[in-house]
């Protein structure tokens, strides 16, 4: 099979991946559709891209072939992040210990506190009739939930945003190309600071437990196994980088869709009971995390395409979620979709540990927002710019009319 390197230069612009930029991030579905013409596509500089639901499900079902360990992505972490970068059999023991902490009933118990956080943020701009949705809502909200879960003061918000951005988008922070020496050095410095910070907080929790996640991590036990200090640090590192930016991006994607599709927004205003199914449909259609990385542990093949040991494999979740072979009316956003087996949270054994937390945050945010702000739109003449890979919006000016 041809790779991008084998394609004549004049044909490169026809490659659907040539648009892997903010323009594609704003409207990825047509690119995904083109990608599915070649379900397993080697692309120079990006590895092997998987785009149909069938081949993606096959890869996600076989972590012994397609691993998410530290060879899949370099985040400057000292050890594998738990549980994402741990493969079987050890992965199972960590999930048995951690899954109950993030169970739906545990997350539901937080709804009142999360609703207070949402309304406190809305109180800050409700009288103005306009807001930068990203700066004033979608960025601070999940970080405040994170701080609340860990029992940390909300005035630590800026520190956590700095740490999160330093790992996920160090090139943006430094203004230098990703992968260059200065960017890697900065990313490593931030990674080290994350371990130092949580070590200090855990020292405090060792002396005095509180009703928070860090204390639960210290005491959690399954079949005689407890988390070590290093285990907890590796969980916290993952939680920081995976639980903040992704929820921010999801809020950006959902509210930008609703701001530009008033008929869908009105459905939620008229019938808030639709919110849970609307969340699932918007997760499917928008898929804020467009892809997840894996690495091939052995020589293998998918859909007749050879994949060599050591190849990077990019699993395009957004393409799978709009695959016509899996979803009837895949290109139609329907809040009444009865069967919705999307994989916006990934799939297989590494399905997102915090999916129940994310769903609760989204449910509360959409419910409280539409109760208080039923009408809103993007600032006229403004074009929303989405970041690639994780589809957040850095500047999202919105005009709104608050409820009487």
């Amino acid at each position: 099979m041809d790779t991008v390197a084998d394609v004549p230069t004049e044909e490169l612009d026809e490659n659907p991946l040539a648009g892997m930029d903010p323009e594609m991030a704003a409207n990825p579905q047509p690119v995904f559709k083109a990608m599915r013409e070649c379900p397993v596509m080697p692309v120079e500089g990006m590895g092997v891209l998987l785009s149909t639901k069938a081949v993606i499900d096959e890869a996600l079902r076989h972590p012994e072939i397609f691993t998410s360990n530290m060879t899949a992505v370099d985040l400057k972490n000292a050890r594998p992040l738990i549980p994402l970068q741990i493969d079987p059999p050890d992965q199972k023991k960590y999930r048995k210990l951690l899954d109950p902490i993030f169970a739906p009933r545990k997350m539901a118990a937080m709804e009142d506190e999360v609703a207070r956080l949402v309304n406190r943020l809305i109180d800050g701009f409700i009288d103005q009739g306009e807001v930068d949705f990203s700066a004033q809502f979608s960025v601070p909200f999940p970080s405040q939930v994170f701080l609340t879960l860990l029992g940390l003061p909300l005035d630590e918000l800026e520190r956590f945003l700095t740490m999160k951005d330093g790992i996920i988008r160090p090139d943006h922070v430094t203004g230098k190309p990703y992968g260059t020496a200065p960017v890697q050095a900065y990313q490593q410095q931030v990674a080290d600071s994350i371990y130092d910070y949580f070590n200090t907080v855990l020292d405090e929790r060792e002396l005095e437990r509180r009703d928070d996640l860090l204390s639960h991590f210290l005491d959690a036990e399954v079949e005689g196994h407890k988390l070590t200090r290093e285990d907890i640090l590796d969980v916290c590192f993952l939680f920081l980088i995976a639980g903040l930016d992704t929820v921010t991006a999801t809020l950006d994607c959902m509210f930008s869709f609703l701001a530009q599709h008033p008929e869908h927004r009105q459905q939620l205003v008229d019938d808030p009971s639709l919110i849970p199914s609307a969340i699932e449909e918007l997760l499917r259609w928008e898929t804020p995390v467009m892809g997840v990385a894996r690495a091939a542990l052995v020589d293998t093949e998918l859909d007749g395409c050879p994949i060599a040991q050591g190849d990077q494999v990019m699993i395009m979740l957004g393409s799978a979620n709009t695959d016509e072979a899996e979803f009837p009316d895949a290109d139609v956003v329907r809040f009444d979709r009865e069967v919705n087996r999307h994989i916006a949270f990934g799939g297989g054994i590494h399905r997102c540990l915090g999916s129940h937390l994310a769903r609760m945050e989204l449910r509360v945010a959409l419910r409280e927002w539409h109760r208080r702000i039923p009408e809103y739109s993007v600032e006229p003449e403004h074009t929303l710019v989405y970041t690639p890979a994780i589809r957040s919006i850095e500047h999202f000016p919105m005009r709104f009319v608050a409820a009487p």
Side-chain angles (χ1 to χ4, degrees):
M1 178 175 293
D2 290 342
T3 67
V4 170
D6 300 320
V7 179
T9 303
E10 63 269 23
E11 295 180 18
L12 281 175
D13 289 342
E14 296 176 15
N15 187 301
L17 297 171
M20 187 70 77
D21 57 18
E23 184 176 348
M24 178 219 169
N27 186 31
Q29 294 85 3
V31 179
F32 292 150
K33 186 179 183 69
M35 289 172 58
R36 289 193 294 273
E37 294 296 320
C38 182
V40 183
M41 179 188 296
V43 177
E44 185 180 25
M46 298 187 68
V48 181
L49 275 72
L50 311 184
S51 55
T52 63
K53 184 70 158 48
V55 298
I56 285 173
D57 281 345
E58 181 70 13
L60 291 174
R61 281 196 297 265
H62 293 284
E64 75 280 5
I65 299 175
F66 301 101
T67 182
S68 64
N69 67 21
M70 292 177 69
T71 64
V73 61
D74 179 15
L75 297 169
K76 305 305 179 192
N77 43 307
R79 297 168 301 275
L81 300 178
I82 295 174
L84 176 62
Q85 294 181 324
I86 305 290
D87 286 329
D90 288 341
Q91 190 264 359
K92 184 176 180 181
K93 80 179 176 186
Y94 286 115
R95 289 298 295 235
K96 286 183 68 175
L97 195 151
L98 292 168
D99 281 348
I101 296 175
F102 293 94
R105 62 181 181 83
K106 292 284 186 70
M107 299 300 99
M110 293 182 57
E111 280 205 21
D112 289 346
E113 178 61 25
V114 171
R116 282 191 286 272
L117 293 175
V118 169
N119 282 292
R120 193 176 305 149
L121 287 170
I122 294 175
D123 288 343
F125 54 78
I126 188 76
D127 296 327
Q128 299 169 13
E130 58 183 17
V131 63
D132 185 329
F133 182 80
S134 298
Q136 295 174 260
F137 191 82
S138 69
V139 169
F141 169 55
S143 296
Q144 289 183 357
V145 173
F146 180 81
L147 292 168
T148 300
L149 274 169
L150 297 182
L152 300 171
L154 294 183
D155 59 15
E156 294 276 20
L157 177 62
E158 288 304 317
R159 180 202 293 256
F160 274 82
L161 293 177
T162 297
M163 291 192 291
K164 178 261 294 181
D165 287 337
I167 296 298
I168 294 175
R169 47 179 65 87
D171 51 331
H172 178 79
V173 175
T174 62
K176 300 182 184 299
Y178 194 91
T180 59
V183 172
Q184 295 216 36
Y186 176 76
Q187 192 178 32
Q188 187 64 66
Q189 175 188 340
V190 173
D192 295 342
S193 75
I194 293 173
Y195 291 119
D196 291 342
Y197 178 84
F198 282 112
N199 255 323
T200 299
V201 177
L202 287 168
D203 286 342
E204 297 171 358
R205 294 297 187 275
E206 289 279 14
L207 296 174
E208 182 181 355
R209 298 290 198 272
R210 299 183 187 177
D211 185 18
D212 59 35
L213 270 185
L214 291 175
S215 297
H216 291 318
F217 288 155
L218 287 168
D219 294 329
E221 182 174 340
V222 170
E223 298 175 357
H225 175 74
K226 296 187 69 171
L227 294 172
T228 67
R229 170 65 70 94
E230 289 187 344
D231 288 342
I232 297 173
L233 291 173
D234 299 335
V235 172
C236 290
F237 195 117
L238 177 62
F239 194 21
L240 171 66
I241 63 171
L244 304 188
D245 218 50
T246 52
V247 176
T248 290
T250 304
L251 288 166
D252 287 345
C253 288
M254 289 186 174
F255 276 84
S256 64
F257 178 90
L258 293 168
Q260 296 173 88
H261 295 82
E263 69 284 0
H264 285 81
R265 183 180 72 245
Q266 194 61 44
Q267 290 182 52
L268 304 186
V269 173
D270 293 343
D271 184 4
S273 70
L274 285 174
I275 287 175
S277 61
I279 287 171
E280 300 307 312
E281 179 68 345
L282 290 174
L283 282 167
R284 180 194 72 82
W285 177 248
E286 295 288 340
T287 310
V289 181
M290 288 195 286
V292 294
R294 296 292 188 266
L297 291 173
V298 297
D299 292 342
T300 186
E301 63 87 23
L302 277 174
D303 199 47
C305 179
I307 299 174
Q309 179 181 0
D311 277 353
Q312 297 298 112
V313 177
M314 181 59 69
I315 294 175
M316 303 304 294
L317 302 176
S319 184
N321 283 342
T322 51
D323 189 343
E324 304 86 345
E326 175 69 20
F327 298 95
D329 302 323
D331 59 349
V332 177
V333 176
R334 291 173 35 202
F335 291 166
D336 63 348
R337 191 178 294 274
E338 293 183 3
V339 179
N340 194 344
R341 299 190 187 93
H342 70 77
I343 54 171
F345 290 113
I349 64 166
H350 288 299
R351 191 174 184 280
C352 177
L353 174 66
S355 61
H356 299 306
L357 170 61
R359 283 188 168 100
M360 183 271 289
E361 292 180 71
L362 297 169
R363 184 172 64 249
V364 173
L366 266 70
R367 183 190 70 211
E368 296 302 304
W369 181 283
H370 289 94
R371 179 176 66 83
R372 301 185 65 183
I373 304 176
E375 297 181 37
Y376 53 92
S377 59
V378 181
E379 182 76 25
E381 309 303 322
H382 181 80
T383 299
L384 297 176
V385 178
Y386 295 72
T387 58
I390 299 179
R391 301 176 58 230
S392 60
I393 302 171
E394 294 183 19
H395 181 46
F396 187 169
M398 178 191 288
R399 291 185 183 180
F400 63 82
V401 178

